[in-house]
């Protein structure tokens, strides 16, 4: 019995220490004049999401609707206290006006102080903090202007034409049509676009289904794997230890694969003086300080897509000779561009295909605009300027991004104490290092801002209606200086492929097309539970 007590006492003491550590902040919101969600040890308020009882998209809408009359409420994301901001004006204040108090994102995917050469995610633009982020944003921003997208458009167009030809040939070979799973189709397309635009490679993911670039990309974005989830918990609970161990969100195999591609590409271009209008070239220019921010013309400002985000002054600041960007930092920026295209853009394309399939009147109207655009080009190839002029296309894409926002929420970290004071009855302090959530999906589904939010209605974004949309309620690419730097590229890619595909095919429902659509219960992004199957039927 004495021996048992020798082991039991330390064990109980350890349990108490662990329990105290994971519950020490449970009373954080008790002295705040805002409501807060119930919490459970370790799993916090998001236990249903962590246990895969609900999709992230539905979870964000659910918690947003929990307190319909408040501007802010509290919750716990596992052990982290989080302020969820519902009020559009306060979102604008935090995201834009008082941005200096909320410069950083939360370090969920890696320690931003990790200087280990293999730790690539911590070197990406999305993971950098404070001045490092400002310098990198200013260095990269000129690479994503409308003029640079125009130069890169031919590369995107080549991928679009290749995809259309592949499915045309498939129909001829099999003397009929075939049903396709949209996520697979558009992940392969996005993979080829990123390969050519970011890595300078020609990849055919339709014909060569198991090419190395695609298979390594699939592994990289498999965020629901147990090892990745364990890493995320580690980064959240013990970021210093994870950094000391040199661990990264990405597996070493994928890190090495993509690093070698960039290394070989840069070496070859330096040696042979190769110039190609892609991201690698722009990064090489940025590193040399040769990439300058060009002011857009009045015409470019007028025709850009409604969802396109504005670059802030942070991104317009000239950083002299450019950053001393290491090879690892160059690879990291290509990788984050890859992740955005491989998963986020393919998600948007997947849900756009779905909505056009089940809303035939929208598909037909869009096709008529595509025919008119082709006629205006005199039979020539699609151009960047022609894409920008397609008004109904922009309305359709804007509505897809509202209804199926690829990022259902975004966050900021308070870098110094911030007083919330609405001038009425709400006044409290958001302490330094506390996390703030913007519930994007909740705002997009609030009938106060978007009546009948479950309906797919591109007319919300018609020229006469878009001016009525509150800028703090529509956030598909985020808000403020830390918005998505690649919004122009993403919109260009989405519109271009649907121009080419709808010119040749109608999108038809099949017995396996999910109506209504059920979302997969995942803690990352947004996807269909059982896939989205659509028939590509050649136009007569």
């Amino acid at each position: 019995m004495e021996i048992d007590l020798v082991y039991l006492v330390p064990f109980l003491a350890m349990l108490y220490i662990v329990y105290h550590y994971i519950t020490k902040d449970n009373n954080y919101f008790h002295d705040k004049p805002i409501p807060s969600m119930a919490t459970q040890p370790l799993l916090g308020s998001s236990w249903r999401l962590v246990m895969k009882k609900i999709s992230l998209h539905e979870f964000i809408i659910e918690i947003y609707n929990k307190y319909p009359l408040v501007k802010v409420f509290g919750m716990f994301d596992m052990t982290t206290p989080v302020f969820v901001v519902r009020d559009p004006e306060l979102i604008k204040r935090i995201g834009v006006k008082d941005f200096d108090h909320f410069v950083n994102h939360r370090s969920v995917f890696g320690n931003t102080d990790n200087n280990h050469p293999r730790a690539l995610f911590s070197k990406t633009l999305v993971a950098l903090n404070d001045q490092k982020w400002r310098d990198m944003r200013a260095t990269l921003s000129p690479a994503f202007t409308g003029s640079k997208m125009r130069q890169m458009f031919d590369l995107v167009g080549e991928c679009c034409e290749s995809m259309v030809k592949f499915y045309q040939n498939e129909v001829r070979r099999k003397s009929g049509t075939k049903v396709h799973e949209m996520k697979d189709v558009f992940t392969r397309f996005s993979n080829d676009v990123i390969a050519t635009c970011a890595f300078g490679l020609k990849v055919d993911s339709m014909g060569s289904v198991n090419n190395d670039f695609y298979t390594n990309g699939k592994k990289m974005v498999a965020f629901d794997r147990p090892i990745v989830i364990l890493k995320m918990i580690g980064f959240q609970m013990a970021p210093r230890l994870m950094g000391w161990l040199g661990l990264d969100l990405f597996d070493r195999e994928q890190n090495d694969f993509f690093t070698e591609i960039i290394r070989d590409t840069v070496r070859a271009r330096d040696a042979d003086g190769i110039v190609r209008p892609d991201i690698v070239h722009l990064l090489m220019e940025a590193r040399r300080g040769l990439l300058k921010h060009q002011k857009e013309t009045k015409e470019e400002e007028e025709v850009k897509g409604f969802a396109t985000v504005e670059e802030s002054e942070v991104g317009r600041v000239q950083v002299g000779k450019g950053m001393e960007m290491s090879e690892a930092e160059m690879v990291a920026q290509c990788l984050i561009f890859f992740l955005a295209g491989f998963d986020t853009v393919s998600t948007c394309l997947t849900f756009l295909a779905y909505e056009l399939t089940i809303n035939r009147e929208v598909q037909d109207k869009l096709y008529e605009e595509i025919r008119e655009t082709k006629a205006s080009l005199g039979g020539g190839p699609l151009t960047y300027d022609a894409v920008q002029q397609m008004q109904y296309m922009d309305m359709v894409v804007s509505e897809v991004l509202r209804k199926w926002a690829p990022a259902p929420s975004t966050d900021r970290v308070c870098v110094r104490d911030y007083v919330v004071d609405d001038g009425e009855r709400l006044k409290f302090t958001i302490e330094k290092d506390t996390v703030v959530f913007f519930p994007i999906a909740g705002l997009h589904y609030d009938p106060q801002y978007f009546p009948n939010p479950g309906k797919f209605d591109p007319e919300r974004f018609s020229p006469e209606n878009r001016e009525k949309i509150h800028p703090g309620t529509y956030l598909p690419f985020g808000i403020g200086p830390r918005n998505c730097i690649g919004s122009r590229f993403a919109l260009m890619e989405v519109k271009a492929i649907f121009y080419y595909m709808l010119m040749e095919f109608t999108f038809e429902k099949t017995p396996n097309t999910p109506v209504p659509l059920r979302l997969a219960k995942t803690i990352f992004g947004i996807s269909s539970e059982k896939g989205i199957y659509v028939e590509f039927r050649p136009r007569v």
Side-chain angles (χ1 to χ4, degrees), residues 49-332:
L49 180 64
V50 176
M51 301 303 293
K52 296 188 176 182
K53 301 293 184 182
I54 190 172
S55 71
L56 175 60
H57 184 267
E58 292 163 328
F59 176 74
I60 295 299
I61 296 173
E62 181 179 272
I63 65 170
Y64 176 90
N65 291 331
K66 189 173 181 64
Y67 304 104
L69 302 179
V70 306
K71 296 180 178 181
V72 187
F73 65 90
M75 65 167 284
F76 281 83
D77 184 23
M78 298 186 70
T79 60
T80 303
V82 173
F83 289 95
V84 183
V85 184
R86 299 180 75 261
D87 179 58
E89 288 298 328
L90 185 54
I91 288 173
K92 284 174 58 183
R93 202 179 314 157
I94 289 173
V96 183
K97 182 182 176 183
D98 297 327
F99 172 73
D100 284 346
H101 285 77
F102 299 91
V103 176
N104 301 328
H105 282 308
R106 186 169 52 145
S107 299
V108 175
F109 296 117
N111 183 1
T112 54
D113 295 325
N114 190 353
N115 292 317
H116 195 284
R118 291 186 181 276
L120 292 180
F121 189 85
S122 63
K123 298 175 179 63
T124 62
L125 179 65
V126 71
L128 291 175
N129 285 341
D130 306 317
Q131 192 59 43
K132 287 184 179 180
W133 170 80
R134 292 177 184 273
D135 291 343
M136 184 63 79
R137 180 84 185 206
T139 300
L140 297 179
S141 176
F144 293 93
T145 60
S147 61
K148 295 297 187 297
M149 295 304 100
R150 185 178 287 104
Q151 294 172 21
M152 217 179 297
F153 185 76
D154 286 349
L155 298 177
V156 176
E158 289 173 8
C159 292
C160 295
E161 290 174 345
S162 294
M163 178 172 168
V164 169
K165 287 178 182 176
F166 174 84
Y167 287 111
Q168 286 176 323
N169 290 336
E170 187 178 66
V171 170
R172 295 189 189 102
R173 285 195 307 269
K174 299 184 178 180
S175 302
T177 59
K178 184 181 177 183
V179 174
H180 304 280
E181 202 287 303
M182 294 296 96
K183 182 64 174 178
D184 179 70
V185 166
F186 290 117
T187 298
R188 293 181 182 280
F189 165 73
S190 298
N191 180 72
D192 291 359
V193 171
I194 297 304
T196 189
C197 290
F199 291 83
L201 297 177
K202 184 72 173 177
V203 176
D204 178 16
S205 298
M206 308 292 175
S208 178
V209 294
N210 293 316
N211 66 80
D212 288 345
F213 198 89
Y214 180 77
T215 54
N216 277 280
K218 285 283 285 184
K219 291 176 183 176
M220 186 167 281
V221 300
F223 293 132
D224 272 357
R225 288 180 297 156
I227 184 62
V228 177
I229 294 174
L230 286 174
K231 284 182 181 179
M232 286 182 56
I233 294 173
F235 286 129
Q236 191 168 355
M237 304 289 289
R240 291 181 182 274
L241 174 62
M242 299 292 281
W244 180 77
L245 292 173
L247 294 175
D248 191 51
L249 174 68
F250 307 133
D251 291 345
R252 179 173 296 184
E253 179 186 354
Q254 281 73 59
N255 279 2
D256 291 346
F257 175 80
F258 288 108
T259 297
E260 196 60 33
I261 290 175
I262 296 297
R263 182 181 292 144
D264 290 346
T265 301
V266 171
R267 188 183 298 129
R269 293 188 185 187
D270 280 336
D272 301 328
I274 299 171
V275 175
R276 190 172 183 271
D278 57 19
I279 296 297
V280 171
H281 174 69
L282 292 173
L283 287 173
M284 292 171 69
E285 293 279 278
R287 188 167 60 169
R288 295 168 183 151
L290 300 176
L291 201 58
K292 310 296 181 183
H293 208 293
Q294 297 174 318
K295 185 175 178 60
E296 293 189 324
T297 65
K298 183 179 180 181
E299 290 76 17
E300 287 174 328
E301 286 288 339
E302 288 176 350
V303 299
K304 67 184 179 183
F306 179 76
T308 306
V309 289
E310 296 283 352
E311 184 57 88
S312 71
E313 286 304 311
V314 173
R316 298 176 191 273
V317 173
Q318 185 58 44
V319 291
K321 294 183 179 180
M323 287 185 63
E324 293 295 325
M325 201 184 304
S326 67
E327 180 184 83
E329 287 170 330
M330 281 191 66
V331 175

Side-chain angles (χ1 to χ4, degrees), residues 464-519:
E464 56 271 23
N465 289 333
R466 62 175 55 183
E467 299 303 321
K468 303 172 187 176
I469 297 174
H470 192 295
T473 64
Y474 183 67
L475 310 172
F477 292 108
I479 188 171
R482 285 210 82 140
N483 59 30
C484 175
I485 196 171
S487 66
R488 279 181 172 80
F489 186 92
L491 292 171
M492 171 180 73
E493 182 181 347
V494 169
K495 294 175 182 179
I497 186 56
F498 271 89
Y499 171 92
Y500 281 98
M501 287 295 288
L502 286 177
M503 183 60 68
E504 303 298 333
F505 301 98
T506 60
F507 285 34
E508 304 288 342
K509 280 195 293 187
T510 77
N512 289 326
T513 303
V515 182
L517 189 148
R518 296 176 183 271
L519 294 178

Side-chain angles (χ1 to χ4, degrees), residues 427-450:
K427 186 174 182 178
F428 64 92
T429 298
I430 299 177
E431 286 82 6
K432 179 183 177 182
D433 297 328
T434 307
V435 177
V436 172
F437 265 10
F438 298 156
I440 295 172
L443 291 160
H444 287 189
Y445 272 73
D446 190 332
Q448 178 183 352
Y449 310 124
F450 300 99

Side-chain angles (χ1 to χ4, degrees), residues 57 355 399-405 444-445 453-456:
H57 184 267
E355 291 293 352
E399 175 67 346
V400 167
L401 291 169
R402 178 202 68 82
K403 189 176 178 185
W404 306 108
H444 287 189
Y445 272 73
K455 180 183 179 182
F456 184 76

